Amino acid sequence: MRGLTSRGGRASLAASGTAIAGLAAVGLFTVACSTGGTGVQDEGAAHADAVAKATPSAGASTTGETQFAKTVDAVELIKSDPKVSERVKADLKPCSRDSYPVDTSYGNLTGGTVPDVVVNVMTCGDAVGMGTYVYRENGSRYENVFAAEEPAVYSAIDRGDLVVTKQVYAKGDPVDEPSGEEITTYHWTSGKFTQQYWVRNEFSRAVGEGDVVASEAPQPDGN
């Protein structure tokens, strides 16, 4: 899919009418940006291919760093979270056996001593983002401090900030050929995520199209 360089790189989204119909049914985009707080934004997001998990080596200095200690059950977080829509929960099913279409990232977003958790929920067939969430440890549990639910939305951690990408579709766009994308960067400030930057990229339709006319080399004179 075009524009994936800004998303951290999950490959491409295959065209699928079924996927678009299912995504349209989601039709929900909610942002929760603080403990107990909610807000509505026009930004959304798109897609990262691999989740890098770094564990500090024994004896390494952890000054100013968050020690990676444990992983979480991302599927259970989503299913037990009252802030996640019933539509997303209903669509969150294993793609094969017990393999769920969920990407999980760990990193220091909110300044805590335990890594925060970013969970992206996707479709099985096309890996299209349906919802993205940030969880922060609060005592013995994890609390949802950010939520965005909309077709083709995806979040990633970039140097301590949350980067949310949303694919933009015009009427008639196939799922693997959006007209553009919107990228929004959030920073945790005073107990909530606040918008820092916003970028909109519009993709050219001329790239890769058009006829190629082969030119013929002049023929030598036979005389």
Side-chain angles (χ1 to χ4, degrees):
M1 180 184 241
R2 300 168 71 175
L4 282 177
T5 54
S6 61
R7 278 179 298 238
R10 176 170 288 276
S12 62
L13 305 179
S16 170
T18 302
I20 287 294
L23 291 171
V26 177
L28 175 65
F29 183 34
T30 305
V31 176
C33 296
S34 63
T35 302
T38 61
V40 176
Q41 299 285 347
D42 288 332
E43 304 84 34
H47 245 74
D49 195 3
V51 177
K53 300 177 181 179
T55 305
S57 58
S61 172
T62 57
T63 303
E65 299 178 358
T66 301
Q67 184 72 35
F68 185 78
K70 61 181 179 180
T71 60
V72 301
D73 186 339
V75 174
E76 181 59 30
L77 274 180
I78 295 298
K79 289 186 174 182
S80 62
D81 185 356
K83 292 183 179 181
V84 176
S85 70
E86 292 303 318
R87 170 65 66 179
V88 171
K89 290 179 180 179
D91 289 342
L92 181 55
K93 300 176 181 179
C95 297
S96 61
R97 296 186 180 180
D98 59 349
S99 179
Y100 284 83
V102 172
D103 282 352
T104 310
S105 300
Y106 300 86
N108 191 341
L109 285 170
T110 67
T113 57
V114 175
D116 302 301
V117 184
V118 176
V119 180
N120 288 287
V121 179
M122 299 163 289
T123 62
C124 282
D126 304 302
V128 178
M130 295 192 301
T132 184
Y133 313 89
V134 178
Y135 292 92
R136 185 175 193 264
E137 188 182 57
N138 184 4
S140 60
R141 64 187 182 89
Y142 279 89
E143 181 182 13
N144 183 328
V145 292
F146 183 96
E149 295 178 336
E150 189 177 12
V153 62
Y154 200 93
S155 291
I157 300 171
D158 184 9
R159 291 168 291 185
D161 287 334
L162 180 68
V163 180
V164 182
T165 307
K166 179 184 68 174
Q167 298 301 300
V168 178
Y169 291 91
K171 184 177 180 180
D173 283 348
V175 69
D176 61 341
E177 286 291 334
S179 293
E181 65 181 4
E182 294 179 353
I183 305 170
T184 308
T185 301
Y186 295 95
H187 186 75
W188 183 264
T189 305
S190 302
K192 64 180 181 179
F193 282 107
T194 58
Q195 180 179 320
Q196 298 294 303
Y197 309 105
W198 177 86
V199 175
R200 181 184 175 98
N201 298 317
E202 295 185 350
F203 304 141
S204 171
R205 290 298 186 191
V207 176
E209 296 180 358
D211 296 330
V212 178
V213 179
S215 60
E216 295 183 359
Q219 297 299 317
D221 191 343
N223 294 327

